[in-house]
Structure formats: C-alpha cells, structure tokens
Amino acid sequence: RLPLVKPVFRATKDFVDYFSGDERKFDQAVLVRHPDFKIAMMGYVTREDFSDLPFGREDEVTVYLPLSYQVAGYMIIVPKAWLEPVDMPFDESLRLILTAGMARRK
C-alpha cells in the first residue's frame, strides 16, 4: 500500500514481459538517424499506432533506446523516415546495445 510501489511494479513487469517469452512486442532493431546530426542510435520500434494516445502523428513511431549496462532507456517519437532497419536477431542486437558495442556477433 505504499504510494509508488504498484505503478513501479507494473512498469517493471511490463518491461520484463516485453523482453521475455516467445511473443515479444517488438523485435525489429533499427538505427535512428537524425538528418541534421552525424550519429545513429540503435533501438527497437515499440509503437506505430497512436490512435489511443493524445499525441503522435501517422508518419511517426516510438522507438525504445536501451541504455548500456542498465535496465533503463529512452522512449522517443520520431518520423518513420529516420529509421533504418538492422538485419540482426533480437538477442544479438540487444547484447550489442547492453554491452556498449563490445559484444561480437556470433
């Protein structure tokens, strides 16, 4: 009955559920390339439909950007045109992100 325990538990459970089991909600790794910057960020498309939310446009998607060595990350909303699919299995791409790019492809 502590004020923040229930929302934090639900969010943590949802996060773990996304990464476990056979029915992942997302598994397409993408590079996000902002047209004005010469960098790319690797993440996963998590939503393409904003009809149940008060924001987001038809040409936008949400991308989850996990942080290296942490169970945390950022959710960003970007135009689909900024995305470049990565031909890499989910497990390998996640390992690459979580090890800050040090993991070798098997």
Side-chain angles (χ1 to χ4, degrees):
R1 296 192 189 269
L2 296 173
L4 292 174
V5 172
K6 191 173 186 177
V8 169
F9 173 78
R10 280 188 182 163
T12 303
K13 183 181 180 314
D14 289 345
F15 181 81
V16 170
D17 288 346
Y18 277 124
F19 283 102
S20 62
D22 294 331
E23 292 188 38
R24 275 190 208 99
K25 305 285 191 274
F26 59 93
D27 60 4
Q28 175 59 60
V30 294
L31 291 179
V32 179
R33 294 187 187 274
H34 188 286
D36 296 334
F37 302 109
K38 297 188 184 325
I39 63 168
M41 297 168 281
M42 191 175 201
Y44 302 95
V45 174
T46 58
R47 179 184 283 254
E48 297 184 56
D49 177 17
F50 295 94
S51 60
D52 63 331
L53 296 174
F55 56 83
R57 293 184 227 133
E58 198 172 300
D59 67 330
E60 293 179 323
V61 296
T62 59
V63 177
Y64 176 65
L65 304 171
L67 296 175
S68 301
Y69 294 114
Q70 299 179 25
V71 181
Y74 297 101
M75 183 215 55
I76 60 174
I77 301 169
V78 297
K80 291 177 186 177
W82 289 12
L83 303 183
E84 178 183 317
V86 175
D87 185 21
M88 183 180 262
F90 175 80
D91 297 357
E92 285 184 29
S93 61
L94 185 61
R95 184 175 346 109
L96 184 69
I97 293 170
L98 296 180
T99 62
M102 292 185 286
R104 298 279 182 214
R105 198 163 182 193
K106 292 183 178 182

Coordinates of all heavy atoms in Angstrom, one line a residue, residues 31-80:
L31 N 18.2 1.6 -36.6 CA 19.1 2.7 -36.4 C 18.3 3.9 -36.6 O 17.5 4.1 -37.5 CB 20.3 2.7 -37.3 CG 21.3 1.6 -37.2 CD1 22.4 1.8 -38.2 CD2 21.9 1.6 -35.8
V32 N 18.3 4.8 -35.6 CA 17.6 6.1 -35.7 C 18.7 7.1 -36.1 O 19.7 7.4 -35.4 CB 17.0 6.5 -34.4 CG1 16.3 7.9 -34.5 CG2 16.1 5.5 -33.9
R33 N 18.5 7.7 -37.3 CA 19.4 8.7 -37.8 C 18.7 10.1 -38.0 O 17.9 10.2 -38.9 CB 20.0 8.3 -39.2 CG 20.8 7.0 -39.1 CD 21.4 6.7 -40.5 NE 22.1 5.5 -40.5 CZ 23.4 5.3 -40.2 NH1 24.1 6.3 -39.7 NH2 24.0 4.1 -40.2
H34 N 19.1 11.0 -37.1 CA 18.5 12.4 -37.3 C 19.2 13.0 -38.5 O 20.4 12.9 -38.6 CB 18.9 13.1 -36.0 CG 18.2 14.5 -35.9 ND1 18.7 15.5 -36.7 CD2 17.2 14.9 -35.2 CE1 17.9 16.6 -36.4 NE2 17.0 16.3 -35.5
P35 N 18.4 13.6 -39.3 CA 19.0 14.2 -40.6 C 20.1 15.3 -40.4 O 20.9 15.5 -41.2 CB 17.8 14.7 -41.4 CG 16.7 14.8 -40.4 CD 17.0 13.9 -39.3
D36 N 20.0 16.0 -39.2 CA 21.0 17.1 -39.0 C 22.2 16.7 -38.2 O 23.1 17.5 -38.0 CB 20.3 18.2 -38.3 CG 19.1 18.8 -39.1 OD1 19.2 18.8 -40.4 OD2 18.2 19.4 -38.5
F37 N 22.2 15.5 -37.7 CA 23.4 15.0 -36.9 C 24.0 13.8 -37.5 O 23.4 13.0 -38.1 CB 22.9 14.7 -35.5 CG 22.3 15.8 -34.7 CD1 20.9 15.8 -34.5 CD2 23.0 16.9 -34.3 CE1 20.3 16.8 -33.8 CE2 22.4 18.0 -33.7 CZ 21.0 17.9 -33.4
K38 N 25.3 13.7 -37.4 CA 26.0 12.6 -38.0 C 26.2 11.5 -37.0 O 27.4 10.9 -36.8 CB 27.4 13.1 -38.6 CG 27.2 14.1 -39.7 CD 28.5 14.4 -40.4 CE 28.4 15.4 -41.4 NZ 27.2 15.6 -42.2
I39 N 25.2 11.1 -36.3 CA 25.2 10.0 -35.3 C 24.0 9.1 -35.6 O 23.1 9.4 -36.3 CB 25.2 10.5 -33.9 CG1 23.8 11.2 -33.6 CG2 26.4 11.3 -33.5 CD1 23.6 11.4 -32.1
A40 N 24.1 7.9 -35.1 CA 23.0 6.9 -35.1 C 22.8 6.3 -33.8 O 23.8 6.1 -33.0 CB 23.2 5.8 -36.2
M41 N 21.6 6.0 -33.4 CA 21.3 5.4 -32.1 C 20.5 4.1 -32.5 O 19.6 4.1 -33.3 CB 20.4 6.3 -31.3 CG 21.1 7.6 -30.9 SD 19.9 8.8 -30.1 CE 19.2 9.4 -31.6
M42 N 20.8 3.0 -31.8 CA 20.2 1.7 -32.0 C 19.1 1.5 -31.0 O 19.3 1.7 -29.8 CB 21.2 0.6 -32.0 CG 20.7 -0.7 -32.5 SD 22.1 -1.9 -32.5 CE 21.5 -3.1 -33.7
G43 N 17.9 1.0 -31.5 CA 16.8 0.8 -30.6 C 15.8 -0.1 -31.3 O 16.1 -0.8 -32.3
Y44 N 14.6 -0.2 -30.7 CA 13.5 -1.0 -31.2 C 12.2 -0.3 -31.4 O 11.8 0.5 -30.5 CB 13.3 -2.2 -30.2 CG 14.6 -3.0 -29.9 CD1 15.4 -2.7 -28.9 CD2 14.9 -4.0 -30.8 CE1 16.6 -3.4 -28.7 CE2 16.1 -4.7 -30.6 CZ 16.9 -4.4 -29.6 OH 18.1 -5.1 -29.4
V45 N 11.5 -0.5 -32.5 CA 10.2 0.1 -32.7 C 9.3 -0.5 -31.7 O 9.1 -1.8 -31.7 CB 9.8 0.0 -34.2 CG1 8.3 0.5 -34.3 CG2 10.7 0.7 -35.1
T46 N 8.6 0.3 -31.0 CA 7.6 -0.3 -30.0 C 6.2 0.1 -30.3 O 5.3 -0.5 -29.7 CB 8.0 0.3 -28.5 OG1 7.9 1.7 -28.5 CG2 9.3 -0.3 -28.1
R47 N 5.9 1.1 -31.1 CA 4.6 1.5 -31.4 C 4.5 2.2 -32.7 O 5.4 3.1 -33.0 CB 4.0 2.4 -30.3 CG 2.6 2.9 -30.5 CD 2.1 3.8 -29.5 NE 1.8 3.1 -28.2 CZ 0.5 2.9 -27.8 NH1 -0.5 3.4 -28.5 NH2 0.3 2.3 -26.7
E48 N 3.5 1.9 -33.5 CA 3.3 2.6 -34.8 C 1.9 3.2 -34.9 O 1.6 3.9 -35.9 CB 3.5 1.6 -36.0 CG 4.9 1.1 -36.0 CD 5.2 0.2 -37.2 OE1 4.9 0.6 -38.3 OE2 5.6 -1.0 -37.0
D49 N 1.1 2.9 -33.9 CA -0.3 3.4 -33.9 C -0.5 4.3 -32.7 O -0.4 3.8 -31.6 CB -1.3 2.3 -34.0 CG -2.7 2.7 -33.9 OD1 -3.0 3.9 -34.2 OD2 -3.6 1.8 -33.6
F50 N -0.9 5.5 -32.9 CA -1.1 6.4 -31.7 C -2.6 6.8 -31.5 O -3.0 7.7 -30.9 CB -0.4 7.8 -32.0 CG 1.1 7.6 -32.0 CD1 1.8 7.4 -33.1 CD2 1.8 7.6 -30.8 CE1 3.2 7.2 -33.1 CE2 3.2 7.5 -30.8 CZ 3.9 7.3 -32.0
S51 N -3.5 6.0 -32.1 CA -4.9 6.3 -32.1 C -5.5 6.3 -30.7 O -6.5 7.0 -30.5 CB -5.7 5.3 -33.0 OG -5.5 4.0 -32.5
D52 N -4.9 5.6 -29.7 CA -5.4 5.7 -28.4 C -4.6 6.7 -27.5 O -4.8 6.7 -26.3 CB -5.3 4.3 -27.8 CG -3.9 3.7 -27.7 OD1 -3.1 4.1 -28.5 OD2 -3.6 2.9 -26.8
L53 N -3.8 7.5 -28.1 CA -3.0 8.4 -27.3 C -3.2 9.9 -27.8 O -3.6 10.1 -29.0 CB -1.5 8.1 -27.5 CG -1.0 6.8 -26.9 CD1 0.4 6.5 -27.2 CD2 -1.2 6.7 -25.4
P54 N -3.0 10.8 -26.9 CA -3.3 12.2 -27.3 C -2.1 12.9 -28.1 O -2.1 14.1 -28.2 CB -3.5 12.9 -26.0 CG -2.7 12.2 -25.0 CD -2.8 10.7 -25.5
F55 N -1.2 12.1 -28.6 CA -0.1 12.6 -29.3 C 0.4 11.6 -30.4 O -0.1 10.5 -30.5 CB 1.1 13.0 -28.4 CG 1.6 11.8 -27.6 CD1 2.4 10.9 -28.1 CD2 1.1 11.7 -26.3 CE1 2.9 9.8 -27.4 CE2 1.5 10.6 -25.5 CZ 2.4 9.6 -26.1
G56 N 1.3 12.0 -31.2 CA 1.8 11.2 -32.3 C 1.0 11.3 -33.6 O -0.2 11.5 -33.6
R57 N 1.8 11.4 -34.7 CA 1.2 11.5 -36.0 C 1.3 10.2 -36.8 O 2.0 9.3 -36.4 CB 2.0 12.6 -36.7 CG 1.7 14.0 -36.1 CD 2.4 15.0 -37.0 NE 3.1 15.9 -36.0 CZ 4.4 16.3 -36.2 NH1 5.1 15.9 -37.3 NH2 5.0 17.0 -35.3
E58 N 0.6 10.2 -37.9 CA 0.6 9.0 -38.7 C 1.9 8.5 -39.2 O 2.2 7.4 -39.4 CB -0.4 9.2 -39.9 CG -0.9 7.9 -40.5 CD -2.0 8.2 -41.5 OE1 -3.0 8.7 -41.1 OE2 -1.7 7.9 -42.7
D59 N 2.8 9.5 -39.5 CA 4.1 9.2 -40.0 C 5.2 9.0 -38.9 O 6.4 8.9 -39.2 CB 4.6 10.3 -41.0 CG 4.9 11.6 -40.2 OD1 4.2 11.9 -39.2 OD2 5.7 12.3 -40.7
E60 N 4.8 8.9 -37.7 CA 5.7 8.7 -36.5 C 5.6 7.3 -35.9 O 4.6 6.7 -36.0 CB 5.4 9.8 -35.5 CG 5.8 11.2 -35.9 CD 5.5 12.2 -34.9 OE1 4.5 12.1 -34.1 OE2 6.2 13.2 -34.8
V61 N 6.7 7.0 -35.2 CA 6.7 5.7 -34.4 C 7.4 6.0 -33.1 O 8.1 7.0 -33.0 CB 7.5 4.6 -35.2 CG1 6.8 4.2 -36.4 CG2 8.9 5.0 -35.4
T62 N 7.2 5.2 -32.1 CA 8.0 5.2 -30.9 C 9.1 4.2 -31.0 O 8.9 3.1 -31.5 CB 7.2 5.0 -29.6 OG1 6.6 3.7 -29.7 CG2 6.1 6.0 -29.4
V63 N 10.3 4.6 -30.5 CA 11.4 3.8 -30.5 C 12.0 3.7 -29.1 O 12.1 4.8 -28.5 CB 12.5 4.3 -31.5 CG1 13.8 3.4 -31.4 CG2 12.0 4.3 -32.9
Y64 N 12.3 2.5 -28.6 CA 12.9 2.4 -27.3 C 14.4 2.2 -27.5 O 14.9 1.4 -28.3 CB 12.3 1.1 -26.6 CG 13.0 0.8 -25.3 CD1 12.9 1.7 -24.2 CD2 13.8 -0.3 -25.1 CE1 13.5 1.5 -23.0 CE2 14.4 -0.5 -23.9 CZ 14.3 0.4 -22.9 OH 14.9 0.1 -21.7
L65 N 15.1 3.1 -26.8 CA 16.6 3.1 -26.9 C 17.1 2.6 -25.5 O 17.2 3.4 -24.6 CB 17.1 4.5 -27.1 CG 16.6 5.2 -28.4 CD1 17.0 6.7 -28.4 CD2 17.1 4.5 -29.6
P66 N 17.5 1.3 -25.4 CA 18.0 0.8 -24.1 C 19.4 1.5 -23.9 O 20.1 1.8 -24.8 CB 18.2 -0.7 -24.4 CG 17.5 -1.0 -25.6 CD 17.3 0.3 -26.4
L67 N 19.7 1.6 -22.6 CA 21.0 2.1 -22.2 C 21.9 1.0 -21.9 O 21.5 -0.1 -21.4 CB 20.8 3.0 -20.9 CG 20.0 4.3 -21.1 CD1 19.9 5.0 -19.8 CD2 20.6 5.2 -22.1
S68 N 23.2 1.2 -22.2 CA 24.2 0.1 -22.0 C 24.3 -0.2 -20.5 O 24.4 0.8 -19.7 CB 25.5 0.6 -22.5 OG 25.4 0.9 -23.9
Y69 N 24.5 -1.4 -20.2 CA 24.7 -1.9 -18.8 C 23.6 -1.6 -17.8 O 23.8 -1.6 -16.6 CB 26.1 -1.4 -18.3 CG 27.2 -2.0 -19.1 CD1 28.0 -1.2 -19.8 CD2 27.5 -3.4 -19.0 CE1 29.1 -1.8 -20.5 CE2 28.5 -3.9 -19.7 CZ 29.3 -3.1 -20.5 OH 30.4 -3.7 -21.2
Q70 N 22.4 -1.2 -18.3 CA 21.4 -0.8 -17.3 C 20.1 -1.3 -17.8 O 19.8 -1.5 -19.0 CB 21.3 0.8 -17.2 CG 22.5 1.4 -16.7 CD 22.4 2.9 -16.7 OE1 21.3 3.4 -16.6 NE2 23.4 3.6 -16.8
V71 N 19.2 -1.4 -16.9 CA 17.8 -1.8 -17.2 C 17.0 -0.5 -17.2 O 16.2 -0.1 -16.4 CB 17.2 -2.8 -16.2 CG1 15.7 -3.1 -16.6 CG2 18.0 -4.0 -16.1
A72 N 17.3 0.3 -18.2 CA 16.7 1.6 -18.4 C 16.8 2.0 -19.9 O 17.5 1.3 -20.6 CB 17.3 2.6 -17.5
G73 N 16.2 3.1 -20.2 CA 16.3 3.6 -21.6 C 15.4 4.7 -21.8 O 14.8 5.3 -20.9
Y74 N 15.4 5.1 -23.1 CA 14.5 6.3 -23.5 C 13.5 5.8 -24.5 O 13.8 5.0 -25.4 CB 15.4 7.3 -24.2 CG 16.4 7.9 -23.3 CD1 17.7 7.6 -23.3 CD2 16.0 8.9 -22.3 CE1 18.7 8.1 -22.5 CE2 17.0 9.5 -21.5 CZ 18.3 9.1 -21.6 OH 19.2 9.6 -20.7
M75 N 12.3 6.4 -24.5 CA 11.3 6.2 -25.5 C 11.3 7.5 -26.3 O 11.1 8.6 -25.7 CB 10.0 5.9 -24.9 CG 9.0 5.7 -26.0 SD 7.3 6.3 -25.8 CE 7.4 8.0 -25.4
I76 N 11.5 7.4 -27.6 CA 11.5 8.6 -28.4 C 10.4 8.5 -29.5 O 10.1 7.4 -29.9 CB 12.9 9.0 -29.0 CG1 13.4 7.8 -29.9 CG2 13.9 9.3 -27.9 CD1 14.6 8.2 -30.7
I77 N 9.9 9.6 -29.9 CA 8.9 9.6 -31.0 C 9.6 10.3 -32.2 O 10.0 11.4 -32.1 CB 7.6 10.3 -30.6 CG1 7.0 9.6 -29.4 CG2 6.6 10.3 -31.8 CD1 5.9 10.4 -28.7
V78 N 9.7 9.5 -33.3 CA 10.4 10.1 -34.4 C 9.7 9.7 -35.7 O 8.9 8.8 -35.8 CB 11.9 9.5 -34.5 CG1 12.7 9.9 -33.3 CG2 11.8 8.0 -34.7
P79 N 10.0 10.5 -36.8 CA 9.4 10.1 -38.1 C 9.9 8.8 -38.6 O 11.1 8.5 -38.4 CB 9.9 11.3 -39.0 CG 10.3 12.4 -38.1 CD 10.7 11.7 -36.8
K80 N 9.1 8.0 -39.3 CA 9.5 6.8 -39.8 C 10.7 6.9 -40.8 O 11.5 6.0 -40.9 CB 8.3 6.1 -40.6 CG 7.2 5.6 -39.7 CD 6.1 5.0 -40.5 CE 4.9 4.7 -39.6 NZ 3.7 4.2 -40.3

